[in-house]
Amino acid sequence: MIAAIEPTWSLVLASLVFTIGAVGLLTRRNPLFMFMCIELMLNAVNLTFVALATKRGAINGPSVG
């Protein structure tokens, strides 16, 4: 049986990716690199949402109605 990855590891990875993006955004002057760093930061936020939804057990999204 394959063990599931703990949400804690996903949060650690997300914080690492967000930090790389923030440092890159603050140190680069090229607009292309700045947009790539912003994309890294947004991907880290998305990974955080997925990790927290997995921890909560509600990966189907919010129920309407």
Side-chain angles (χ1 to χ4, degrees):
M1 182 174 195
I2 299 173
I5 298 174
E6 294 284 329
T8 306
W9 291 107
S10 297
L11 293 174
V12 169
L13 178 64
S15 64
L16 180 68
V17 170
F18 190 86
T19 303
I20 291 170
V23 168
L25 185 66
L26 294 173
T27 59
R28 299 288 182 157
R29 295 282 186 184
N30 189 350
L32 180 64
F33 283 109
M34 292 173 75
F35 283 127
M36 288 172 56
C37 291
I38 291 171
E39 186 176 355
L40 272 176
M41 294 167 67
L42 291 174
N43 284 332
V45 171
N46 286 333
L47 182 59
T48 302
F49 287 152
V50 170
L52 293 178
T54 304
K55 185 175 182 178
R56 189 173 178 213
I59 59 174
N60 292 333
S63 60
V64 178

